[in-house]
Amino acid sequence: MHLSVDLHYPAGLEDVTRMLASEAFVRWRAQRTGGPQSLVDLADVTGSLDEGFSVVVRRTLPTDQIPGHLRAFVGNALEIRQAEVWEPAAGDSRRGTVSLEITGAPVRMTGTVTLEALPDGGTRQSYEGELKATVPLFAAAVEEAAAGAVRATLSSEEQAGVEWLTAP
């Protein structure tokens, strides 16, 4: 299943890039977007803004966003591993790869992530990728449920980013 999600931030490309490369922001965002029952097992940023950087987050979330009839496949919690590898800046944009794995589901998304400066001074972050489930007979239903959970998580991450960028 193809997944496409755009996020918008009220700040320039450099400020958004700096935010995404901040380990403090990455940990805070992961804790904030996972809800009160989530656990952040890892939030790590390596590299530099100039040469490119990697962001790895591993967290455990409750399965309340998964439809009841599919929870038998995933249990009471989902371990989500997300890795983004950002290339060095290239003009008014930045590009990277993203890999998101929901262990125990089993669901995996791979694709690209881009940052693009917008004419209004803001920045758009776009995710494009393929989401695949390897559950015989129920793959389409699991992919649809996982896509909804990924969209909801990215929307929460967008809200967290806007809050971070606009905090006094």
Side-chain angles (χ1 to χ4, degrees), residues 54-129:
S54 299
V55 178
V56 177
V57 177
R58 188 175 65 226
R59 58 188 165 185
T60 304
L61 304 174
T63 57
D64 55 358
Q65 292 185 12
I66 303 293
H69 68 284
L70 297 174
R71 286 190 197 137
F73 294 106
V74 297
N76 295 328
L78 296 173
E79 182 180 316
I80 298 176
R81 297 176 188 168
Q82 181 176 348
E84 294 179 3
V85 179
W86 290 94
E87 298 171 1
D92 288 341
S93 67
R94 192 162 203 141
R95 182 175 170 83
T97 58
V98 61
S99 173
L100 185 136
E101 181 180 0
I102 303 175
T103 59
V107 174
R108 183 174 179 88
M109 181 186 133
T110 56
T112 60
V113 58
T114 57
L115 287 176
E116 177 184 16
L118 298 174
D120 66 2
T123 301
R124 176 177 38 239
Q125 183 176 17
S126 299
Y127 288 89
E128 292 282 337

Side-chain angles (χ1 to χ4, degrees), residues 21-71:
S22 163
E23 193 166 315
F25 170 74
V26 170
R27 180 167 294 282
W28 177 80
R29 176 188 67 189
Q31 290 170 335
R32 183 184 183 282
T33 60
Q37 296 176 333
S38 70
L39 299 171
V40 177
D41 303 314
L42 174 71
D44 189 39
V45 178
T46 57
S48 70
L49 292 174
D50 293 334
E51 296 178 19
F53 60 95
S54 299
V55 178
V56 177
V57 177
R58 188 175 65 226
R59 58 188 165 185
T60 304
L61 304 174
T63 57
D64 55 358
Q65 292 185 12
I66 303 293
H69 68 284
L70 297 174
R71 286 190 197 137

Side-chain angles (χ1 to χ4, degrees), residues 133-150:
T134 57
V135 179
L137 301 176
F138 297 104
V142 171
E143 286 173 357
E144 193 62 43
V150 168

